Each structure stands twice: as structure tokens, then as C-alpha cells.
Amino acid sequence: MEERKLEVLRFFVSPKDNKNEKLPLYNVEGIDLFDNLFTNLIPFIDDLPPDERNKRIVQFGKTSTGATVFHRKDAIRSVSGIIETGKYGKEENVVDINRKKDDLPVFRMMKNHALQKPFFFLICISSKKNEGLIFLEREGLFGIKQVFTLVLSKYISKNFPEKSFHFSNFIDDKFVKKFINEGVYNKIRLVRNSLPEDVAEKYGLEKFNTDDFVLELSIRSKGKRRIGGSARKRIQEIFENNPNGFFTSDDFKKIGFDDEASIHVNSTYKNSSRTINLSDTLKFRPYYDIKVNITSTGHSDFKSIEGECIQLLEDFNLDLY
């Protein structure tokens, strides 16, 4: 299994002349958006021309038999699938790492070639509220938030010309607060993605670029022991926007951790474990860490990541369907 992230967005549809009015998603101009998306999203994306401005192409992922990876679950009113996207417009060599470095490239990508990377998505269309949720897979620094929301915006404009699509980051404070205040802490991980020169010298690193190194410190419980004391209290204070944050001791700064570092807390609440990322602004990012099975091609197994996504949706307990 490997770690992935799910980026969660909240969305709604409004009249173009009143962007503050949130229309019921089950009745947009008398049409249920759930059925509409399942029927029309595949042909819409199949017909999308390449984005010449951003030099990007978007398409649905397919199985080994050529079937489009796109499903619906009536119980939770969701459509899910795989979106593949990549950039074109540059000539680049593809090399075989098992060959000698002076061997010729095995392939040369031309300007009209795009290396497509697959990402999981799930859209939950509420039957009770005027907002829905979008879950998007992230792998490291790579994600599809920008391209996917642009596609959905174009889709709404085409299918509902008088309506507009809106989205924002979703952070469920009540959900997170339960893990922070009532959960059992299993691990606290501090991460600094770049090192100042004086700290790098302490670690015996000579010439370097500031982004070449990542500094991590993990505090992990063993056996039945759990993390408590002032460390737990500091995490809870961060949740309440304590400006001093976790790094109140100068000892942290001496080894390279300060308010530019990020904090990851793994907590268990009601037999469910989640890793919650705190950003350097002391707010939670809309990313939720999950672990998924990996296919032979090195990508997330669809059933595995869909199951994790549905579990997260149910954990939110938002009464959307």
C-alpha cells in the first residue's frame, strides 16, 4: 500500500444573475444533476478539444478492455472514475533507466505528444442540500483541482447556459475537531521542505540548493502507549489558532524546525484513523491522507481508493443523501 491524498472541494450551482443563490442539485431547471452527469459527462469530456492555452489534454481513463472507468452509486448519489491528463507542446526524450546513460533514448516525445497521468475523482450530488462534494486524488505535488474544476465549469455552462458552477475548499471543522480533541494521538510528524544554510551546515551538508533537502522529525507511540502531555496540548492550541503554535521552544529552531514547517497528526477516533495536515498558517488544508493498494502499473487501485473515499465521505456525516 502507498499513501495518497484526497483533496476535498465543496461546490454549488447558481443562476448567472445571482451568484449567491444556491440551487438544489437534484432540481436544476427541473433536472437532477446526478442523472445528468452520469449520462452526459463521458461524451462531454470525449469531445473536449485540447486546451491550447495551457497545453493540456483531458480524457477518461479506460480499462484494459477499453471500457471507460466511470461508475455511479445510487445509495450515496455519487459518480466516480479516472481522469487522465497531461501536458504537450515540448519535445522530450524518454530513457530506459536500466540502460547505460550514453545509450540513445528509447523514445522521443514530440510536441503533439502528452504523457497522461491518471487521477481518481468522486462527485457527490446531494439530494437534501444545495451543495455537493468533490474528491480528487493527489499524488505528491500533483493533482487535478485546476483542470477538473475548469472542466466542470464548462460542463455546467454547456448543459445549463443560464447557470454557473462555484467551488471552494472543504474543511469540516467539526470532523477535524473530533480527531484533535477526542481522538487518540498515534504519531506527530514535523516536516521542513527546505533548510536554511546555517542548519544545513550543522547536518554536514555542504553546497546545496535550499529545496534539495527535506527535514523530518517523527514522534510515534509504541505498543499501547499514546501521545499526550504538552505535545497534545500544543496541537489542540494550534487548532484554536494559538499564534505561538507548536514551535515554542528554541530547541526546535536549532535543529531546523520553525513556523515554516508543517505538522501532521495521526489520530484515532471511534476506530477510524486519519492523518490531518496543519499548514504553516495554522489552518487545516483540504487534504486527507489515505492508504491505497497500488496496481502493477504503479497507480492507485480504483476499488481501493474509491473505498477510502466513500469511508471519508461517511465519516463527514453531512447528511447529503
Side-chain angles (χ1 to χ4, degrees), residues 12-22 164-166:
F12 67 92
V13 176
S14 77
K16 283 190 173 180
D17 58 359
N18 185 1
K19 295 183 178 180
N20 293 321
E21 180 184 355
K22 299 178 181 179
S164 298
F165 170 81
H166 308 269

Side-chain angles (χ1 to χ4, degrees), residues 299-312:
H299 301 295
S300 300
D301 176 77
F302 181 83
K303 288 185 178 180
S304 177
I305 192 170
E306 184 184 49
E308 286 290 308
C309 183
I310 292 173
Q311 183 60 58
L312 181 60

Side-chain angles (χ1 to χ4, degrees), residues 27-231:
N27 185 14
V28 182
E29 297 181 352
I31 298 173
D32 188 341
L33 185 60
F34 175 48
D35 294 324
N36 181 268
L37 277 171
F38 184 72
T39 301
N40 299 319
L41 188 59
I42 289 179
F44 176 78
I45 290 181
D46 285 347
D47 292 339
L48 273 179
D51 182 353
E52 287 293 340
R53 179 179 179 182
N54 296 305
K55 301 296 182 184
R56 183 177 290 278
I57 187 170
V58 178
Q59 63 188 39
F60 266 102
K62 297 185 181 299
T63 65
S64 58
T65 61
T68 300
V69 183
F70 188 56
H71 305 278
R72 66 182 283 165
K73 288 190 177 296
D74 292 341
I76 60 173
R77 288 178 56 84
S78 72
V79 294
S80 58
I82 297 293
I83 285 293
E84 294 184 350
T85 181
K87 288 196 170 186
Y88 60 92
K90 294 182 179 180
E91 292 189 14
E92 297 175 325
N93 290 329
V94 178
V95 301
D96 185 341
I97 63 170
N98 294 319
R99 293 186 179 184
K100 296 180 179 179
K101 291 184 178 181
D102 56 356
D103 283 349
L104 292 175
V106 295
F107 182 75
R108 183 169 180 82
M109 293 181 60
M110 307 307 291
K111 290 184 178 180
N112 61 318
H113 293 164
L115 182 63
Q116 296 292 82
K117 187 174 181 62
F119 293 91
F120 169 85
F121 74 88
L122 183 144
I123 309 172
C124 178
I125 302 97
S126 178
S127 61
K128 296 183 178 181
K129 299 184 178 180
N130 296 352
E131 293 182 330
L133 290 183
I134 299 171
F135 296 79
L136 302 173
E137 179 183 8
R138 289 187 63 88
E139 183 180 354
L141 300 175
F142 300 102
I144 55 169
K145 175 182 175 180
Q146 181 178 8
V147 64
F148 195 78
T149 52
L150 179 59
V151 167
L152 287 184
S153 181
K154 290 180 178 179
Y155 177 88
I156 294 297
S157 294
K158 180 178 180 179
N159 287 268
F160 306 95
E162 301 303 318
K163 304 298 183 287
S164 298
F165 170 81
H166 308 269
F167 72 92
S168 59
N169 292 338
F170 173 80
I171 300 186
D172 183 17
D173 289 339
K174 293 180 180 179
F175 173 77
V176 172
K177 192 171 185 177
K178 290 178 180 178
F179 280 86
I180 294 298
N181 290 338
E182 301 177 40
V184 176
Y185 290 9
N186 311 305
K187 183 178 179 180
I188 299 174
R189 186 166 66 99
L190 315 180
V191 181
R192 176 78 185 263
N193 286 317
S194 60
L195 301 183
E197 187 173 355
D198 60 333
V199 173
E201 289 178 349
K202 291 180 181 179
Y203 287 98
L205 303 173
E206 298 177 353
K207 295 181 179 179
F208 72 100
N209 292 321
T210 182
D211 295 328
D212 283 347
F213 301 98
V214 175
L215 182 65
E216 296 187 10
L217 172 64
S218 292
I219 306 169
R220 180 170 58 87
S221 61
K222 296 176 64 176
K224 296 183 179 180
R225 294 292 300 272
R226 292 296 181 262
I227 298 172
S230 60

